[in-house]
Amino acid sequence: MFLDPKVARDFRAIINSSEIFRKSEKLKERFNLICVVMDRMDSAVNYLNKHSVDPQTEEDFICFLVYACMVKDAISKLYESVYRHKPEYVTQKKYFCDVKQYGKMVFTEETCPTDDMFFEYLRSMAFAHPFETGHRKRPFIDKDETQYCPWVIVHGSHVGIRVYTSSKKFVIEDLTFAFENLKNYIKERYEHLKEMTTWAEQEIAEQNVEWAQHKVKRSEDIFETIDSIKEIYDERFYEPYEVEKIERYLKCDITIPENIENISKYRDALKQSVGKLCDALDNVEECDLASATDDIFAWPRNGHQMMHYQLEKIMCYLGEESDSWDRIWGLKQAEAFSKEFAKKWFVFDFDKMSDEEIQLTVSAACYLEYMEQEGNR
């Protein structure tokens, strides 16, 4: 395969693994560029791999150059953004030294351009942009010379450009080189994406070291502990939805005396999950953080037919304005849900219970049913 898609996938995976690239003050300024590089790289690599054989037509060659430009420019721009300087390979003269004109070498040691310089020239000419040098220094073009390209050349394993020049030395010239050299040039540029992946890994590692210094302030008052957890969540750009839900469930008033015992069992589990969250945050273990609340918010594996729909509406719609259609529909779903396995665990009185108490009781019923089913597996 010409370009290994895994190189681009690895870069995307490491970027998507942390919110620091999108939200930290240090890194967020280049996030848009990173996203563009990831998306453009996917389409470019896909196209170039499907068209890596020697081009047969002018269209084949020009389209190859379009996507090759995406790869080359993306890597260069990202490298400069990350390291604040141009990559070392900009001075390289490796792939286009043997450009020929009717079988003769075009460049001398003095006039040979860098690979990037020649590729820029090739792109400009192939895309029919007049190439003027009055404002540029190109060792292989005379001062104030203007060149035009009427067509690109496709000849077996070689490609190139026809050049019309204003220079007195030549009127028409054909510049050709091996298509394989162009591919190798693009492949080497693409492989530098591995450096960007390593950079991203280092940024995450350095940030984790800094975060590890900030420990959760554990207190006998669980709500003080939760406040400390939320502070760290904010610092690390985590969404606090589960933590805030735990806090609401622990603070919620219970109006049905018959439910207190089972609600207490559920709240014990909520408190245990707070301890797991503390450990995960102190150790900067995102996997443990994600799993810390798995059980307490789990839904039973074996539920009634409409269970998933009902739970979705109960959790999304309750808490809306009292006369809203969504809230009314959420209550209807809660009533239907209360007549299934939930009645084994709790009593529901919708005239007395607040929306939050209903959500708490529904979650507790799911937890107790889930744990019973898991224990019987």
Side-chain angles (χ1 to χ4, degrees):
M1 184 175 291
F2 172 33
L3 301 177
D4 183 359
K6 185 176 182 298
V7 175
R9 287 200 302 268
D10 288 348
F11 180 68
R12 180 182 290 275
I14 193 64
I15 294 298
N16 288 342
S17 72
S18 176
E19 287 289 286
I20 65 172
F21 301 103
R22 184 167 69 96
K23 294 183 176 179
S24 78
E25 290 298 323
K26 175 185 176 184
L27 300 171
K28 67 181 183 181
E29 67 176 24
R30 61 173 63 92
F31 185 70
N32 285 344
L33 174 60
I34 288 173
C35 289
V36 169
V37 169
M38 291 191 298
D39 292 337
R40 287 289 191 174
M41 207 62 67
D42 286 346
S43 56
V45 169
N46 181 57
Y47 181 90
L48 293 172
N49 280 338
K50 289 180 178 178
H51 300 82
S52 59
V53 297
D54 295 337
Q56 302 300 308
T57 65
E58 180 180 34
E59 181 182 3
D60 289 344
F61 183 36
I62 290 177
C63 287
F64 185 93
L65 282 175
V66 168
Y67 286 95
C69 289
M70 290 184 191
V71 172
K72 184 266 179 186
D73 288 349
I75 300 301
S76 296
K77 293 296 183 184
L78 184 57
Y79 190 103
E80 290 177 31
S81 176
V82 167
Y83 295 112
R84 306 298 185 185
H85 63 78
K86 292 184 180 297
E88 294 181 2
Y89 60 69
V90 295
T91 60
Q92 185 182 64
K93 299 180 181 181
K94 181 178 179 181
Y95 295 106
F96 302 113
C97 298
D98 60 350
V99 173
K100 292 183 174 61
Q101 177 190 344
Y102 308 125
K104 296 182 179 180
M105 299 288 287
V106 173
F107 303 132
T108 65
E109 186 174 340
E110 291 75 23
T111 63
C112 184
T114 64
D115 291 332
D116 281 2
M117 185 187 298
F118 182 80
F119 184 78
E120 178 189 336
Y121 165 75
L122 173 68
R123 169 173 55 187
S124 178
M125 297 295 283
F127 296 164
H129 298 166
F131 204 86
E132 301 176 76
T133 60
H135 61 290
R136 311 179 189 182
K137 291 185 178 180
R138 298 292 182 262
F140 58 96
I141 300 178
D142 291 339
K143 187 177 185 301
D144 298 325
E145 178 183 353
T146 301
Q147 295 187 349
Y148 302 91
C149 176
W151 60 74
V152 298
I153 298 169
V154 175
H155 183 66
S157 63
H158 283 67
V159 293
I161 50 176
R162 166 64 62 90
V163 177
Y164 295 166
T165 174
S166 63
S167 170
K168 295 180 181 179
K169 293 185 292 185
F170 302 105
V171 176
I172 298 174
E173 54 187 14
D174 289 347
L175 304 182
T176 59
F177 53 89
F179 182 62
E180 192 66 23
N181 288 356
L182 175 60
K183 287 172 56 180
N184 290 336
Y185 166 77
I186 294 301
K187 183 173 184 176
E188 183 178 300
R189 297 299 180 270
Y190 174 68
E191 291 289 322
H192 280 280
L193 191 58
K194 294 177 180 178
E195 290 185 41
M196 302 298 100
T197 301
T198 300
W199 161 78
E201 291 171 342
Q202 291 171 344
E203 289 292 336
I204 292 174
E206 290 174 7
Q207 184 63 80
N208 285 345
V209 169
E210 180 181 332
W211 282 343
Q213 307 306 309
H214 188 177
K215 305 294 185 182
V216 178
K217 296 177 182 177
R218 307 189 193 212
S219 171
E220 292 184 4
D221 183 341
I222 194 166
F223 297 111
E224 290 182 0
T225 302
I226 289 174
D227 285 341
S228 180
I229 289 174
K230 289 194 293 185
E231 180 183 338
I232 294 177
Y233 262 57
D234 183 65
E235 177 185 275
R236 300 184 188 179
F237 316 115
Y238 300 152
E239 293 296 331
Y241 173 75
E242 289 84 0
V243 180
E244 291 175 346
K245 191 173 182 179
I246 292 171
E247 185 177 26
R248 291 198 308 272
Y249 281 1
L250 291 175
K251 290 181 175 180
C252 181
D253 292 331
I254 306 302
T255 60
I256 312 296
E258 297 92 329
N259 291 343
I260 291 176
E261 182 179 352
N262 280 341
I263 289 292
S264 295
K265 292 178 182 179
Y266 183 50
R267 283 177 165 172
D268 287 343
L270 294 175
K271 292 173 183 177
Q272 289 177 5
S273 71
V274 171
K276 294 177 183 177
L277 290 173
C278 291
D279 293 340
L281 290 171
D282 286 350
N283 296 323
V284 197
E285 291 289 349
E286 290 196 14
C287 291
D288 292 345
L289 194 67
S291 64
T293 57
D294 282 350
D295 289 347
I296 59 172
F297 298 133
W299 293 354
R301 294 177 184 270
N302 302 315
H304 52 276
Q305 185 175 5
M306 294 295 291
M307 180 186 75
H308 288 84
Y309 177 83
Q310 291 166 356
L311 288 170
E312 179 185 340
K313 302 311 174 188
I314 291 167
M315 296 305 168
C316 291
Y317 288 169
L318 294 188
E320 297 285 337
E321 294 181 11
S322 60
D323 59 346
S324 74
W325 185 92
D326 283 347
R327 180 178 180 276
I328 294 171
W329 188 245
L331 281 173
K332 285 184 178 294
Q333 299 311 309
E335 291 173 4
F337 181 84
S338 70
K339 297 173 183 177
E340 300 293 340
F341 68 79
K343 66 184 180 183
K344 179 172 67 176
W345 303 103
F346 295 105
V347 174
F348 288 82
D349 186 339
F350 295 100
D351 291 329
K352 291 182 179 180
M353 301 169 77
S354 67
D355 286 3
E356 190 164 78
E357 184 182 0
I358 294 171
Q359 291 175 328
L360 163 61
T361 307
V362 166
S363 293
C366 287
Y367 168 77
L368 294 170
E369 184 70 16
Y370 169 80
M371 294 304 290
E372 182 179 86
Q373 289 182 10
E374 292 300 295
N376 292 331
R377 283 170 63 84

